[in-house]
Amino acid sequence: MIKRLNLSQKVLMLIGACILFSIVFSFFFLHFLYKELYFNSVKESVIFQGERTAAHYHSGTLSEDLAEKIHWYNMVSEYEVIVLDEIEDLSSYFPYEINHQALITRSDRKRLENEEFIVKDGYVEEFGREIIGAVFPVAGKSGTESYIYIYVPLADLQEVFEGSIPILLLAGSMFFMILFLAVNQIRRSLFQPLQEIRLFSKEVSRGNYSNRLQISKRDEIGELARAFNSMSESLEKQEARKKEFLANIVHELRTPLTYIGGYSQALSHQMYESPEEAEHYLKTIERETNRVNKMIHDLIDLDVLQESMYTLKTEPIAISQLFLDTFALFEIRLHEKNLQTKLHLHEDLVIMGDPKRIQQVFYNLIDNAIKYAEEGSMIRISFSEEKHRFHFRIHNIGSELSEQDLAHIGERFFRTDKARSRLTGGTGLGLSIVKEIVRLHEGELRIESDASTGTAVTVMLPALL
């Protein structure tokens, strides 16, 4: 079975491949320098020396002075000059093949007959290296009378760069060493945090959300670490909320289920003394059943509102008419508690919002105001416009809310008076739903309470038309 490489190993392989590519590239680059610079410069030099020698060879006559110069030139230079009367004599002085072919071919002879020089280069086995040579025809009065052949063996690649090789090796070694150290440092700085993030993610997958990554970098790795910390913090809060939710739901359901179970058992065993007592048991069961149903409905509604993908269905709303339609649902309850109402509305106010959810806000706030208002007291409701924002305010006279209670209002299942809420059927979810709806509308919810003036709830919504 082939072992899969991790990311760090892949990066090391990539670095090795880059270094290998650099070495191969350097090799071919040196060959390029050898061919394009050294080879061409020698070729140009051979042609120049041949033309210069031919220019001193007048009318095909090899003077004693010129012969001495050629002999001296052959001794002190790396070039070899041969002067011939006939081209056939060249094989006697240079009996070697170039690239396993004859030095002079038929096409070369034709060019020489046309008084053109030819350049020959290639590998000579006897020399064990390449040479560059050129044959120059020397014209006389009656045509070509003699030939000059000049050639020079080429140095090997290592000979050409012999003086530079130590420098190249030293510079190359230092370069690759510095490159390796730099890349290795980058690799460690990159993969060590990733290793920490990997271990951290394993802890998170096991349900341990308390750890945090200690990474001070401000690069992409640092951003990733901060994202993981934020994710872990969110998961930790979500886990805490889930535990709190489960504890609350168990606590909230225990009492009504106890009532329902106890009174159902009493009725089934006829454990009552009068029909009135049996009817009281039935009403209690009905009230607690309705309370459990409302709690479940509110929980589902609240979870839907808190979904990140939830979107409002906004449209222009004649807000006063929507409020009056909602307020009409509470006429009987207002009459039962002998509550007075004072409304201050603006019929021409129109806002952008979700009508169903805005009506839910009105319903829950009016319902709370009636539940906790003192019997026979006054409930004041007003609309206003301030800085292009719609303000809805509902005020009732009831028990004062402490600062500690105000800080927790809007949390799931929070009730300021547990016993009284049990009697009124409250679930502690109404204001949580209101808070989420207002948040989705990018609005604001404020609650104020005072012993002398009562409790006031203000909802501020934007996008007033």
Side-chain angles (χ1 to χ4, degrees):
M1 184 176 180
I2 300 175
K3 184 180 179 181
R4 297 182 64 183
L5 299 176
N6 58 38
L7 186 58
S8 179
Q9 291 171 331
K10 290 178 181 178
V11 170
L12 283 177
M13 287 186 64
L14 178 62
I15 294 169
C18 291
I19 293 175
L20 180 61
F21 173 79
S22 299
I23 294 172
V24 173
F25 173 78
S26 300
F27 175 77
F28 283 104
F29 182 69
L30 287 177
H31 270 270
F32 168 78
L33 293 178
Y34 174 78
K35 287 290 185 183
E36 296 299 322
L37 299 181
Y38 172 70
F39 187 87
N40 286 339
S41 65
V42 172
K43 183 178 178 180
E44 291 175 0
S45 178
V46 166
I47 295 173
F48 173 76
Q49 295 295 341
E51 289 179 339
R52 184 179 179 184
T53 303
H56 286 83
Y57 194 63
H58 301 289
S59 303
T61 303
L62 182 60
S63 63
E64 184 178 345
D65 182 55
L66 181 58
E68 288 180 1
K69 286 183 179 180
I70 291 174
H71 178 69
W72 176 82
Y73 187 76
N74 289 339
M75 291 180 61
V76 299
S77 73
E78 57 185 357
Y79 295 91
E80 188 72 24
V81 179
I82 301 173
V83 179
L84 306 166
D85 292 331
E86 299 292 338
I87 194 62
E88 288 79 4
D89 297 336
L90 183 57
S91 58
S92 301
Y93 292 95
F94 192 86
Y96 313 115
E97 292 183 343
I98 297 181
N99 291 336
H100 303 287
Q101 293 182 357
L103 179 61
I104 303 298
T105 62
R106 290 183 179 179
S107 59
D108 294 334
R109 288 178 179 274
K110 290 182 178 180
R111 292 184 62 187
L112 291 172
E113 290 173 1
N114 294 329
E115 297 184 354
E116 297 178 10
F117 71 88
I118 60 172
V119 178
K120 306 292 290 188
D121 62 83
Y123 183 76
V124 177
E125 189 172 351
E126 288 77 6
F127 293 168
R129 61 182 59 198
E130 292 187 349
I131 71 166
I132 293 180
V135 181
F136 296 87
V138 179
K141 294 180 180 180
S142 58
T144 302
E145 296 184 354
S146 58
Y147 301 89
I148 295 176
Y149 177 53
I150 181 171
Y151 70 92
V152 59
L154 295 177
D156 292 335
L157 180 64
Q158 61 270 23
E159 294 175 343
V160 175
F161 296 100
E162 184 176 3
S164 322
I165 283 177
I167 299 175
L168 290 174
L169 288 175
L170 180 61
S173 300
M174 291 182 62
F175 169 75
F176 287 121
M177 186 178 296
I178 294 171
L179 176 65
F180 176 79
L181 293 175
V183 170
N184 189 57
Q185 183 63 29
I186 293 172
R187 183 186 67 85
R188 290 185 60 185
S189 66
L190 178 65
F191 290 103
Q192 187 174 351
L194 288 178
Q195 179 70 8
E196 294 178 8
I197 291 174
R198 185 178 69 85
L199 296 175
F200 174 79
S201 62
K202 284 186 176 181
E203 290 296 317
V204 172
S205 66
R206 295 190 185 104
N208 182 11
Y209 309 123
S210 60
N211 293 336
R212 296 292 182 271
L213 289 166
Q214 302 298 327
I215 297 179
S216 58
K217 295 181 178 294
R218 297 188 177 275
D219 54 8
E220 290 79 0
I221 300 296
E223 290 294 329
L224 180 62
R226 282 186 281 275
F228 265 85
N229 284 339
S230 178
M231 177 195 69
S232 181
E233 185 178 356
S234 298
L235 289 173
E236 186 177 20
K237 291 180 180 179
Q238 187 175 357
E239 184 70 13
R241 285 196 298 267
K242 183 175 71 173
K243 291 179 180 179
E244 182 184 4
F245 170 75
L246 290 175
N248 288 333
I249 197 69
V250 169
H251 173 75
E252 295 295 329
L253 289 177
R254 183 182 291 119
T255 301
L257 291 178
T258 300
Y259 279 128
I260 293 170
Y263 287 132
S264 297
Q265 188 175 9
L267 289 172
S268 64
H269 291 84
Q270 297 183 353
M271 297 169 61
Y272 50 85
E273 297 179 356
S274 64
E276 289 79 10
E277 187 177 359
E279 186 178 356
H280 172 70
Y281 289 169
L282 286 172
K283 286 184 177 179
T284 302
I285 292 172
E286 182 182 5
R287 184 181 70 244
E288 294 300 323
T289 302
N290 291 336
R291 189 170 176 279
V292 170
N293 286 333
K294 187 177 187 307
M295 184 188 303
I296 293 172
H297 180 270
D298 287 346
L299 277 173
I300 293 172
D301 211 13
L302 187 58
D303 284 338
V304 169
L305 291 171
Q306 290 179 335
E307 281 288 334
S308 59
M309 300 299 291
Y310 181 81
T311 55
L312 297 170
K313 299 178 181 178
T314 58
E315 60 182 68
I317 305 172
I319 197 67
S320 296
Q321 187 60 50
L322 181 65
F323 172 78
L324 292 173
D325 293 342
T326 309
F327 188 73
L329 302 174
F330 295 91
E331 289 183 0
I332 296 176
R333 290 181 57 191
L334 289 167
H335 180 71
E336 287 175 351
K337 292 191 71 171
N338 193 28
L339 295 173
Q340 304 297 317
T341 58
K342 186 175 182 181
L343 306 180
H344 180 70
L345 309 179
H346 290 281
E347 295 183 358
D348 57 345
L349 286 179
V350 178
I351 70 168
M352 289 295 294
D354 188 324
K356 178 182 175 182
R357 296 304 179 184
I358 296 297
Q359 187 173 35
Q360 201 171 3
V361 170
F362 289 153
Y363 187 95
N364 287 353
L365 293 180
I366 296 170
D367 182 57
N368 274 359
I370 293 174
K371 281 179 186 177
Y372 303 110
E374 292 181 357
E375 191 168 346
S377 63
M378 173 76 73
I379 294 178
R380 293 181 175 85
I381 300 171
S382 65
F383 288 178
S384 64
E385 175 189 354
E386 296 179 21
K387 297 180 180 179
H388 300 286
R389 290 168 67 89
F390 165 66
H391 287 228
F392 166 72
R393 181 181 175 89
I394 183 166
H395 176 272
N396 72 329
I397 303 297
S399 58
E400 180 189 2
L401 300 178
S402 66
E403 291 185 5
Q404 184 179 2
D405 287 341
L406 287 174
H408 292 283
I409 282 182
E411 297 178 2
R412 292 188 180 196
F413 299 113
F414 178 77
R415 295 191 295 265
T416 57
D417 188 338
K418 306 289 185 183
R420 189 175 183 188
S421 296
R422 179 71 59 193
L423 295 174
T424 58
T427 63
L429 295 171
L431 279 178
S432 298
I433 293 172
V434 169
K435 189 176 180 179
E436 286 301 314
I437 294 173
V438 172
R439 179 186 67 82
L440 290 171
H441 280 83
E442 299 180 358
E444 186 179 351
L445 175 67
R446 291 181 185 173
I447 302 176
E448 302 167 330
S449 184
D450 185 84
S452 58
T453 60
T455 301
V457 179
T458 305
V459 173
M460 291 165 281
L461 299 176
L464 182 66
L465 298 181

